Amino acid sequence: MASSWVPDVDPASDFSLANIPFGIISTPDNPAPRVAVAIGSHALDLAALAAHSDILTTLFPDIPALADAVSQPTLNAFAALGRPVHRRVRAGLQDLLSTTGSRAPLLRDDPGLRARALRPLREVAMHLPMAVGDYTDFYAGYHHAHAVGTMFRGPNAALQPNYLHLPVGYHGRASSLVVSGAPVRRPVGQILLPGPEGAGEASRPATGPSRKLDFELELGCFVGRGNEMGRAVPVGEAEECIFGYVLLNDWSARDIQKWEYVPLGPFNGKNFATTVSPWVVLADALEPFRTRPIENPTELQDYLKEGREDSVFDIRLEVDLTTAEGDTTTIARTSSKHLIWSFPQMIAHHTVGGCPLRTGDLLGSGTISGPGGAGERGSLLEMTENGKKEVLLAGMDARTFLKDGDSITLRGFCGPDGARVGFGECRGRIYSAVQR
Amino acid sequence: MASSWVPDVDPASDFSLANIPFGIISTPDNPAPRVAVAIGSHALDLAALAAHSDILTTLFPDIPALADAVSQPTLNAFAALGRPVHRRVRAGLQDLLSTTGSRAPLLRDDPGLRARALRPLREVAMHLPMAVGDYTDFYAGYHHAHAVGTMFRGPNAALQPNYLHLPVGYHGRASSLVVSGAPVRRPVGQILLPGPEGAGEASRPATGPSRKLDFELELGCFVGRGNEMGRAVPVGEAEECIFGYVLLNDWSARDIQKWEYVPLGPFNGKNFATTVSPWVVLADALEPFRTRPIENPTELQDYLKEGREDSVFDIRLEVDLTTAEGDTTTIARTSSKHLIWSFPQMIAHHTVGGCPLRTGDLLGSGTISGPGGAGERGSLLEMTENGKKEVLLAGMDARTFLKDGDSITLRGFCGPDGARVGFGECRGRIYSAVQR
């Protein structure tokens, strides 16, 4: 892969020429949210290209909808153009931004346009990349499901009987999706308080701030083209539905969740906030990083049988916890390969009964944990065995669950330095519960 | 209540002058969806009033946003204007449509405008009334929860420990909401097939059309004004968030649901279709029909304590099953009063942790059943004790669950003849599963 002529593309940048992720930016001089791609430490403002040059029509003469799509306040219109268009636009922009690109002079040699369109990332504000109609969270992180199941039901009943037969999932809350950097308010809710010493839990709930606030490390997948109601998406065609990927933190209040979740699943324990990273890594950018998922010993139903074995991605994932005092500790390192169901399988299952997916819908992988110890786990629930052990932090500090003022930052990338395909940060800081 | 000068307002009509429900219509001469109200057997096209007269500005000079709001393809813009505006617009339209209305001549005596704006219901197509961001389904029908719990866990564990402490609910699927009349495709999914005789259920699933397709009789509530993320809605202010009500049929595939629902709740068993009635009955239209909910013996958490006792509505509800042969049987009669949680309590609980509700969000009550026998039950699951008994139909027919070609029609109304406040029909017909 060639390098980019754009200045200051650090070799360790997530946004190399091999990536070209899409996001929604605004700037102090133009508060209208619009489409950009990231390259190194810059955002290339595609709406500015469309408004002030004919570069887009020169590069993509047969995609007339593009100029309008990149001027929208979400990526939905662009995502709806379909994966072949995303592929070509990414390739065209790589050519425009490459030192060896045949079209590079169009932008590189036009200082006025460069000043308008190429903006330092530190000067741009990022917005939620998609208007999300529905958000579905799956539970495909096998080691997470197994660890949590063991904790609550013992090792012999860790996995429910359905777990290896279908990608278990539930409908999440779309209205509380926020972009990286948005504050996260500690939720108030009903919890069972500890009873007198030795008496276990009280038999009655109380209402108060969650005492078991947790993060969940997930990979999120945005739908590009959906399906009509009543028409299932075959697993072999599901890749064509995928627009791209983000990191996702499905913040969870374990005490609220535990009391509320029978028999209909998580509700207030999950719906107060879900944070996504701002740059959508296109599905094609991750193609070189395919690998095999966790082996499933079950004879699958036909509609879940995939034609390929390398159906997941090996993305290096890391979780940082930063205290209010500013001390940062990397508390987990793992890989997105630790899934037992692929996104195409999730899509095939989601639609098998006819449920329509729409452009912009978000699918979460479920919490991703490695098979090893606390340092590979995608949630504090697992790392601390539900609060029984402490996670040690820099600065002589420790945690069972999150404190007010803590920040969690998810990071993820693949590829070698100089050609990294990464997500940037998915970050959120905890603010104290509203007093009432 | 006076009567209307509009012709053919049947005394048994759900759409009396006391009602004035809002919906989204289109007509053969104007396919653009737009806002109307129903009066008797007519729709009054408010967008036509706005375009071809100054009636709206005469009636509502200080609501300049109204003309634009009624020209939208959903009720969201109107709903967002807030309950005081809805109250005044309904009162103003009642005056316009009343035989004794001071403003009645503006429309009654203008034959050209009447012909444009007052359209027979049989000539209009109805659309989904709101753009729904999130759909939440609660479980507040006490007799339903108790009956289903008894069926699956026995009478001593019928209700989960949390049931009387909080309005249990889960996030439903917004993308598969459809308006009355839309076809409902029998879903395909994973089910545990019966094993050899006497052997109970097979230990492995199969994939096929649901054999236990059911309806659920519910009341739906649309949010008018929502809340900011992080700010709970106090139960005493929740009424001001409510725009209006519809009938809701949360179609359910009991066999798919049973296999999939642990531990995260219903998914494909519910997300293939949910039908709502097309006319939104404004919250104020139901005010005269308040009554007390089912008594809850629990000491409630403060945030769920209501200042009023008459927090639910006594709406007569009926369910018709019509076979493919055209025979119709009323299989259930009950009342919407059989709830143990009110919608304000549901809203207070939904937002207590900071979850934002948005204009157009839909809340379902959960299945509503009376305390009596099969004829008061809001689902076939209850009527047939999960398929063990048959429901007898007209035409020498019978059902345990729904057959292809069956239609379910929900109806609901309150008030005396001549002043009924009703919902019209919430209807859906079952079509055979897609063969693969």
Side-chain angles (χ1 to χ4, degrees), chain A residues 59-99:
Chain A
L59 292 178
F60 313 108
D62 56 340
I63 314 175
L66 189 60
D68 183 60
V70 299
S71 307
Q72 300 296 318
T74 69
L75 293 174
N76 292 53
F78 177 64
L81 295 176
R83 192 150 165 186
V85 169
H86 309 152
R87 190 173 295 145
R88 289 174 48 216
V89 171
R90 174 167 166 266
L93 294 173
Q94 285 174 323
D95 186 60
L96 181 70
L97 295 168
S98 167
T99 47

mmCIF file of all heavy atoms in Angstrom, chain A residues 59-99:
data_model
loop_
_atom_site.group_PDB
_atom_site.id
_atom_site.type_symbol
_atom_site.label_atom_id
_atom_site.label_comp_id
_atom_site.label_asym_id
_atom_site.label_seq_id
_atom_site.Cartn_x
_atom_site.Cartn_y
_atom_site.Cartn_z
ATOM 1 N N LEU A 59 -14.206 11.994 -10.328
ATOM 2 C CA LEU A 59 -13.839 10.646 -9.869
ATOM 3 C C LEU A 59 -14.955 9.629 -10.075
ATOM 4 O O LEU A 59 -14.695 8.461 -10.369
ATOM 5 C CB LEU A 59 -13.465 10.679 -8.377
ATOM 6 C CG LEU A 59 -12.191 11.418 -7.958
ATOM 7 C CD1 LEU A 59 -12.042 11.379 -6.440
ATOM 8 C CD2 LEU A 59 -10.967 10.784 -8.617
ATOM 9 N N PHE A 60 -16.183 10.071 -9.871
ATOM 10 C CA PHE A 60 -17.326 9.132 -9.863
ATOM 11 C C PHE A 60 -18.450 9.643 -10.763
ATOM 12 O O PHE A 60 -19.552 9.956 -10.288
ATOM 13 C CB PHE A 60 -17.835 8.955 -8.422
ATOM 14 C CG PHE A 60 -16.742 8.711 -7.413
ATOM 15 C CD1 PHE A 60 -16.390 9.700 -6.496
ATOM 16 C CD2 PHE A 60 -16.064 7.500 -7.378
ATOM 17 C CE1 PHE A 60 -15.378 9.489 -5.568
ATOM 18 C CE2 PHE A 60 -15.048 7.282 -6.445
ATOM 19 C CZ PHE A 60 -14.708 8.276 -5.538
ATOM 20 N N PRO A 61 -18.172 9.732 -12.058
ATOM 21 C CA PRO A 61 -19.168 10.343 -12.955
ATOM 22 C C PRO A 61 -20.490 9.571 -12.992
ATOM 23 O O PRO A 61 -21.530 10.160 -13.286
ATOM 24 C CB PRO A 61 -18.464 10.318 -14.319
ATOM 25 C CG PRO A 61 -17.407 9.264 -14.196
ATOM 26 C CD PRO A 61 -16.980 9.279 -12.761
ATOM 27 N N ASP A 62 -20.442 8.277 -12.694
ATOM 28 C CA ASP A 62 -21.678 7.488 -12.769
ATOM 29 C C ASP A 62 -22.326 7.271 -11.403
ATOM 30 O O ASP A 62 -23.175 6.391 -11.244
ATOM 31 C CB ASP A 62 -21.386 6.141 -13.436
ATOM 32 C CG ASP A 62 -20.287 5.384 -12.709
ATOM 33 O OD1 ASP A 62 -19.512 6.038 -11.970
ATOM 34 O OD2 ASP A 62 -20.208 4.153 -12.868
ATOM 35 N N ILE A 63 -21.905 8.057 -10.393
ATOM 36 C CA ILE A 63 -22.589 7.994 -9.090
ATOM 37 C C ILE A 63 -23.121 9.390 -8.780
ATOM 38 O O ILE A 63 -22.648 10.075 -7.859
ATOM 39 C CB ILE A 63 -21.647 7.496 -7.966
ATOM 40 C CG1 ILE A 63 -20.845 6.262 -8.420
ATOM 41 C CG2 ILE A 63 -22.450 7.147 -6.704
ATOM 42 C CD1 ILE A 63 -19.804 5.783 -7.412
ATOM 43 N N PRO A 64 -24.114 9.837 -9.544
ATOM 44 C CA PRO A 64 -24.580 11.222 -9.378
ATOM 45 C C PRO A 64 -25.194 11.490 -8.007
ATOM 46 O O PRO A 64 -25.232 12.634 -7.561
ATOM 47 C CB PRO A 64 -25.625 11.382 -10.490
ATOM 48 C CG PRO A 64 -26.038 9.991 -10.845
ATOM 49 C CD PRO A 64 -24.850 9.121 -10.589
ATOM 50 N N ALA A 65 -25.632 10.430 -7.318
ATOM 51 C CA ALA A 65 -26.249 10.637 -6.004
ATOM 52 C C ALA A 65 -25.219 10.961 -4.923
ATOM 53 O O ALA A 65 -25.580 11.338 -3.808
ATOM 54 C CB ALA A 65 -27.041 9.394 -5.591
ATOM 55 N N LEU A 66 -23.944 10.827 -5.263
ATOM 56 C CA LEU A 66 -22.912 10.933 -4.227
ATOM 57 C C LEU A 66 -22.823 12.329 -3.619
ATOM 58 O O LEU A 66 -22.698 12.478 -2.398
ATOM 59 C CB LEU A 66 -21.554 10.516 -4.813
ATOM 60 C CG LEU A 66 -20.407 10.366 -3.817
ATOM 61 C CD1 LEU A 66 -20.723 9.307 -2.768
ATOM 62 C CD2 LEU A 66 -19.111 10.017 -4.555
ATOM 63 N N ALA A 67 -22.887 13.362 -4.465
ATOM 64 C CA ALA A 67 -22.728 14.728 -3.954
ATOM 65 C C ALA A 67 -23.794 15.045 -2.926
ATOM 66 O O ALA A 67 -23.524 15.650 -1.880
ATOM 67 C CB ALA A 67 -22.782 15.729 -5.110
ATOM 68 N N ASP A 68 -25.018 14.613 -3.196
ATOM 69 C CA ASP A 68 -26.084 14.841 -2.223
ATOM 70 C C ASP A 68 -25.872 13.979 -0.978
ATOM 71 O O ASP A 68 -26.049 14.450 0.148
ATOM 72 C CB ASP A 68 -27.441 14.539 -2.866
ATOM 73 C CG ASP A 68 -28.576 14.847 -1.909
ATOM 74 O OD1 ASP A 68 -28.681 16.026 -1.498
ATOM 75 O OD2 ASP A 68 -29.330 13.931 -1.562
ATOM 76 N N ALA A 69 -25.470 12.731 -1.175
ATOM 77 C CA ALA A 69 -25.312 11.813 -0.039
ATOM 78 C C ALA A 69 -24.272 12.322 0.953
ATOM 79 O O ALA A 69 -24.455 12.210 2.168
ATOM 80 C CB ALA A 69 -24.946 10.409 -0.536
ATOM 81 N N VAL A 70 -23.169 12.891 0.449
ATOM 82 C CA VAL A 70 -22.114 13.334 1.368
ATOM 83 C C VAL A 70 -22.438 14.680 2.011
ATOM 84 O O VAL A 70 -21.714 15.131 2.899
ATOM 85 C CB VAL A 70 -20.725 13.397 0.684
ATOM 86 C CG1 VAL A 70 -20.330 12.014 0.173
ATOM 87 C CG2 VAL A 70 -20.691 14.445 -0.403
ATOM 88 N N SER A 71 -23.512 15.300 1.591
ATOM 89 C CA SER A 71 -23.917 16.565 2.203
ATOM 90 C C SER A 71 -24.980 16.378 3.278
ATOM 91 O O SER A 71 -25.479 17.351 3.845
ATOM 92 C CB SER A 71 -24.424 17.513 1.104
ATOM 93 O OG SER A 71 -23.455 17.634 0.075
ATOM 94 N N GLN A 72 -25.333 15.138 3.565
ATOM 95 C CA GLN A 72 -26.362 14.845 4.560
ATOM 96 C C GLN A 72 -25.767 14.840 5.976
ATOM 97 O O GLN A 72 -24.569 14.644 6.142
ATOM 98 C CB GLN A 72 -26.967 13.458 4.282
ATOM 99 C CG GLN A 72 -27.621 13.329 2.922
ATOM 100 C CD GLN A 72 -28.809 14.246 2.780
ATOM 101 O OE1 GLN A 72 -29.601 14.375 3.706
ATOM 102 N NE2 GLN A 72 -28.911 14.915 1.645
ATOM 103 N N PRO A 73 -26.624 15.008 6.973
ATOM 104 C CA PRO A 73 -26.131 15.023 8.360
ATOM 105 C C PRO A 73 -25.907 13.635 8.971
ATOM 106 O O PRO A 73 -25.539 13.530 10.135
ATOM 107 C CB PRO A 73 -27.243 15.768 9.110
ATOM 108 C CG PRO A 73 -28.478 15.508 8.319
ATOM 109 C CD PRO A 73 -28.035 15.391 6.882
ATOM 110 N N THR A 74 -26.175 12.575 8.213
ATOM 111 C CA THR A 74 -25.871 11.208 8.646
ATOM 112 C C THR A 74 -25.309 10.463 7.441
ATOM 113 O O THR A 74 -25.410 10.929 6.297
ATOM 114 C CB THR A 74 -27.121 10.439 9.129
ATOM 115 O OG1 THR A 74 -27.969 10.175 7.998
ATOM 116 C CG2 THR A 74 -27.899 11.239 10.176
ATOM 117 N N LEU A 75 -24.761 9.269 7.706
ATOM 118 C CA LEU A 75 -24.226 8.448 6.611
ATOM 119 C C LEU A 75 -25.296 7.585 5.954
ATOM 120 O O LEU A 75 -24.981 6.794 5.060
ATOM 121 C CB LEU A 75 -23.103 7.543 7.138
ATOM 122 C CG LEU A 75 -21.817 8.251 7.593
ATOM 123 C CD1 LEU A 75 -20.857 7.238 8.234
ATOM 124 C CD2 LEU A 75 -21.138 8.922 6.400
ATOM 125 N N ASN A 76 -26.556 7.725 6.368
ATOM 126 C CA ASN A 76 -27.577 6.807 5.862
ATOM 127 C C ASN A 76 -27.714 6.825 4.348
ATOM 128 O O ASN A 76 -27.815 5.771 3.714
ATOM 129 C CB ASN A 76 -28.927 7.100 6.518
ATOM 130 C CG ASN A 76 -28.938 6.758 7.996
ATOM 131 O OD1 ASN A 76 -28.074 7.205 8.740
ATOM 132 N ND2 ASN A 76 -29.887 5.945 8.417
ATOM 133 N N ALA A 77 -27.728 8.018 3.754
ATOM 134 C CA ALA A 77 -27.916 8.081 2.298
ATOM 135 C C ALA A 77 -26.737 7.422 1.580
ATOM 136 O O ALA A 77 -26.920 6.698 0.596
ATOM 137 C CB ALA A 77 -28.075 9.531 1.850
ATOM 138 N N PHE A 78 -25.532 7.661 2.074
ATOM 139 C CA PHE A 78 -24.366 7.020 1.476
ATOM 140 C C PHE A 78 -24.421 5.508 1.674
ATOM 141 O O PHE A 78 -24.183 4.729 0.737
ATOM 142 C CB PHE A 78 -23.090 7.615 2.062
ATOM 143 C CG PHE A 78 -21.831 6.963 1.544
ATOM 144 C CD1 PHE A 78 -21.486 7.053 0.196
ATOM 145 C CD2 PHE A 78 -21.001 6.238 2.384
ATOM 146 C CE1 PHE A 78 -20.338 6.436 -0.293
ATOM 147 C CE2 PHE A 78 -19.855 5.623 1.917
ATOM 148 C CZ PHE A 78 -19.515 5.722 0.571
ATOM 149 N N ALA A 79 -24.764 5.094 2.897
ATOM 150 C CA ALA A 79 -24.833 3.651 3.176
ATOM 151 C C ALA A 79 -25.847 2.957 2.274
ATOM 152 O O ALA A 79 -25.640 1.824 1.836
ATOM 153 C CB ALA A 79 -25.181 3.411 4.645
ATOM 154 N N ALA A 80 -26.942 3.651 1.980
ATOM 155 C CA ALA A 80 -28.015 3.056 1.173
ATOM 156 C C ALA A 80 -27.604 2.853 -0.280
ATOM 157 O O ALA A 80 -28.271 2.131 -1.019
ATOM 158 C CB ALA A 80 -29.274 3.928 1.252
ATOM 159 N N LEU A 81 -26.505 3.473 -0.697
ATOM 160 C CA LEU A 81 -26.065 3.310 -2.091
ATOM 161 C C LEU A 81 -25.546 1.900 -2.355
ATOM 162 O O LEU A 81 -25.409 1.501 -3.511
ATOM 163 C CB LEU A 81 -24.993 4.348 -2.438
ATOM 164 C CG LEU A 81 -25.465 5.813 -2.411
ATOM 165 C CD1 LEU A 81 -24.301 6.753 -2.675
ATOM 166 C CD2 LEU A 81 -26.594 6.046 -3.423
ATOM 167 N N GLY A 82 -25.233 1.181 -1.304
ATOM 168 C CA GLY A 82 -24.867 -0.227 -1.496
ATOM 169 C C GLY A 82 -23.375 -0.457 -1.528
ATOM 170 O O GLY A 82 -22.578 0.422 -1.853
ATOM 171 N N ARG A 83 -23.012 -1.679 -1.224
ATOM 172 C CA ARG A 83 -21.603 -1.996 -1.013
ATOM 173 C C ARG A 83 -20.722 -1.829 -2.257
ATOM 174 O O ARG A 83 -19.580 -1.372 -2.136
ATOM 175 C CB ARG A 83 -21.495 -3.417 -0.445
ATOM 176 C CG ARG A 83 -20.142 -3.717 0.072
ATOM 177 C CD ARG A 83 -20.148 -4.694 1.198
ATOM 178 N NE ARG A 83 -18.799 -5.190 1.384
ATOM 179 C CZ ARG A 83 -18.462 -6.152 2.211
ATOM 180 N NH1 ARG A 83 -19.391 -6.732 2.941
ATOM 181 N NH2 ARG A 83 -17.218 -6.535 2.322
ATOM 182 N N PRO A 84 -21.202 -2.142 -3.458
ATOM 183 C CA PRO A 84 -20.353 -1.885 -4.631
ATOM 184 C C PRO A 84 -19.989 -0.402 -4.769
ATOM 185 O O PRO A 84 -18.859 -0.063 -5.144
ATOM 186 C CB PRO A 84 -21.222 -2.366 -5.803
ATOM 187 C CG PRO A 84 -22.110 -3.413 -5.194
ATOM 188 C CD PRO A 84 -22.411 -2.906 -3.810
ATOM 189 N N VAL A 85 -20.912 0.488 -4.431
ATOM 190 C CA VAL A 85 -20.597 1.919 -4.484
ATOM 191 C C VAL A 85 -19.590 2.291 -3.397
ATOM 192 O O VAL A 85 -18.630 3.030 -3.646
ATOM 193 C CB VAL A 85 -21.881 2.772 -4.360
ATOM 194 C CG1 VAL A 85 -21.536 4.251 -4.146
ATOM 195 C CG2 VAL A 85 -22.748 2.606 -5.597
ATOM 196 N N HIS A 86 -19.791 1.757 -2.179
ATOM 197 C CA HIS A 86 -18.827 2.059 -1.103
ATOM 198 C C HIS A 86 -17.419 1.639 -1.506
ATOM 199 O O HIS A 86 -16.445 2.334 -1.256
ATOM 200 C CB HIS A 86 -19.206 1.311 0.187
ATOM 201 C CG HIS A 86 -20.624 1.496 0.605
ATOM 202 N ND1 HIS A 86 -21.317 0.561 1.330
ATOM 203 C CD2 HIS A 86 -21.509 2.507 0.375
ATOM 204 C CE1 HIS A 86 -22.547 0.985 1.539
ATOM 205 N NE2 HIS A 86 -22.695 2.156 0.958
ATOM 206 N N ARG A 87 -17.340 0.478 -2.129
ATOM 207 C CA ARG A 87 -16.053 -0.084 -2.547
ATOM 208 C C ARG A 87 -15.364 0.859 -3.532
ATOM 209 O O ARG A 87 -14.184 1.177 -3.409
ATOM 210 C CB ARG A 87 -16.325 -1.450 -3.182
ATOM 211 C CG ARG A 87 -15.138 -2.317 -3.474
ATOM 212 C CD ARG A 87 -15.636 -3.694 -3.924
ATOM 213 N NE ARG A 87 -16.342 -4.388 -2.848
ATOM 214 C CZ ARG A 87 -17.393 -5.200 -3.000
ATOM 215 N NH1 ARG A 87 -17.897 -5.442 -4.216
ATOM 216 N NH2 ARG A 87 -17.945 -5.785 -1.959
ATOM 217 N N ARG A 88 -16.136 1.328 -4.510
ATOM 218 C CA ARG A 88 -15.555 2.192 -5.540
ATOM 219 C C ARG A 88 -15.199 3.559 -4.992
ATOM 220 O O ARG A 88 -14.182 4.143 -5.369
ATOM 221 C CB ARG A 88 -16.507 2.300 -6.724
ATOM 222 C CG ARG A 88 -16.569 0.984 -7.529
ATOM 223 C CD ARG A 88 -17.625 1.058 -8.610
ATOM 224 N NE ARG A 88 -17.489 2.294 -9.348
ATOM 225 C CZ ARG A 88 -18.508 2.998 -9.821
ATOM 226 N NH1 ARG A 88 -19.755 2.577 -9.626
ATOM 227 N NH2 ARG A 88 -18.313 4.105 -10.487
ATOM 228 N N VAL A 89 -16.035 4.094 -4.122
ATOM 229 C CA VAL A 89 -15.740 5.415 -3.564
ATOM 230 C C VAL A 89 -14.484 5.344 -2.688
ATOM 231 O O VAL A 89 -13.617 6.221 -2.747
ATOM 232 C CB VAL A 89 -16.957 5.962 -2.781
ATOM 233 C CG1 VAL A 89 -16.579 7.233 -2.017
ATOM 234 C CG2 VAL A 89 -18.112 6.233 -3.747
ATOM 235 N N ARG A 90 -14.383 4.280 -1.885
ATOM 236 C CA ARG A 90 -13.169 4.135 -1.064
ATOM 237 C C ARG A 90 -11.918 4.036 -1.940
ATOM 238 O O ARG A 90 -10.925 4.726 -1.688
ATOM 239 C CB ARG A 90 -13.300 2.895 -0.169
ATOM 240 C CG ARG A 90 -12.047 2.556 0.629
ATOM 241 C CD ARG A 90 -12.326 1.523 1.713
ATOM 242 N NE ARG A 90 -11.097 0.952 2.244
ATOM 243 C CZ ARG A 90 -10.538 -0.174 1.794
ATOM 244 N NH1 ARG A 90 -11.101 -0.863 0.805
ATOM 245 N NH2 ARG A 90 -9.412 -0.620 2.326
ATOM 246 N N ALA A 91 -12.012 3.237 -3.003
ATOM 247 C CA ALA A 91 -10.856 3.089 -3.902
ATOM 248 C C ALA A 91 -10.529 4.423 -4.585
ATOM 249 O O ALA A 91 -9.358 4.803 -4.720
ATOM 250 C CB ALA A 91 -11.137 2.003 -4.943
ATOM 251 N N GLY A 92 -11.532 5.154 -4.993
ATOM 252 C CA GLY A 92 -11.313 6.448 -5.646
ATOM 253 C C GLY A 92 -10.667 7.456 -4.702
ATOM 254 O O GLY A 92 -9.788 8.230 -5.098
ATOM 255 N N LEU A 93 -11.104 7.450 -3.444
ATOM 256 C CA LEU A 93 -10.521 8.381 -2.473
ATOM 257 C C LEU A 93 -9.092 7.963 -2.111
ATOM 258 O O LEU A 93 -8.234 8.825 -1.891
ATOM 259 C CB LEU A 93 -11.406 8.464 -1.223
ATOM 260 C CG LEU A 93 -12.784 9.093 -1.451
ATOM 261 C CD1 LEU A 93 -13.644 8.972 -0.195
ATOM 262 C CD2 LEU A 93 -12.668 10.560 -1.886
ATOM 263 N N GLN A 94 -8.833 6.651 -2.090
ATOM 264 C CA GLN A 94 -7.451 6.203 -1.880
ATOM 265 C C GLN A 94 -6.545 6.720 -2.998
ATOM 266 O O GLN A 94 -5.439 7.189 -2.749
ATOM 267 C CB GLN A 94 -7.395 4.671 -1.792
ATOM 268 C CG GLN A 94 -7.912 4.126 -0.467
ATOM 269 C CD GLN A 94 -7.994 2.616 -0.430
ATOM 270 O OE1 GLN A 94 -8.333 1.983 -1.433
ATOM 271 N NE2 GLN A 94 -7.716 2.018 0.731
ATOM 272 N N ASP A 95 -7.046 6.676 -4.212
ATOM 273 C CA ASP A 95 -6.275 7.183 -5.347
ATOM 274 C C ASP A 95 -6.040 8.687 -5.206
ATOM 275 O O ASP A 95 -4.934 9.189 -5.419
ATOM 276 C CB ASP A 95 -7.017 6.869 -6.648
ATOM 277 C CG ASP A 95 -6.208 7.243 -7.878
ATOM 278 O OD1 ASP A 95 -5.097 6.689 -8.042
ATOM 279 O OD2 ASP A 95 -6.670 8.100 -8.664
ATOM 280 N N LEU A 96 -7.072 9.405 -4.782
ATOM 281 C CA LEU A 96 -6.966 10.859 -4.615
ATOM 282 C C LEU A 96 -5.953 11.231 -3.543
ATOM 283 O O LEU A 96 -5.271 12.256 -3.648
ATOM 284 C CB LEU A 96 -8.353 11.420 -4.242
ATOM 285 C CG LEU A 96 -8.486 12.934 -4.032
ATOM 286 C CD1 LEU A 96 -8.350 13.663 -5.374
ATOM 287 C CD2 LEU A 96 -9.811 13.285 -3.368
ATOM 288 N N LEU A 97 -5.856 10.389 -2.510
ATOM 289 C CA LEU A 97 -5.040 10.739 -1.347
ATOM 290 C C LEU A 97 -3.652 10.091 -1.362
ATOM 291 O O LEU A 97 -2.836 10.343 -0.486
ATOM 292 C CB LEU A 97 -5.779 10.338 -0.056
ATOM 293 C CG LEU A 97 -7.076 11.115 0.194
ATOM 294 C CD1 LEU A 97 -7.888 10.458 1.306
ATOM 295 C CD2 LEU A 97 -6.781 12.575 0.528
ATOM 296 N N SER A 98 -3.389 9.272 -2.374
ATOM 297 C CA SER A 98 -2.129 8.530 -2.410
ATOM 298 C C SER A 98 -1.023 9.349 -3.071
ATOM 299 O O SER A 98 -1.275 10.114 -4.011
ATOM 300 C CB SER A 98 -2.354 7.231 -3.193
ATOM 301 O OG SER A 98 -1.111 6.637 -3.507
ATOM 302 N N THR A 99 0.221 9.168 -2.587
ATOM 303 C CA THR A 99 1.375 9.829 -3.236
ATOM 304 C C THR A 99 1.494 9.421 -4.694
ATOM 305 O O THR A 99 1.982 10.183 -5.526
ATOM 306 C CB THR A 99 2.700 9.449 -2.522
ATOM 307 O OG1 THR A 99 2.718 8.040 -2.327
ATOM 308 C CG2 THR A 99 2.810 10.151 -1.188
#
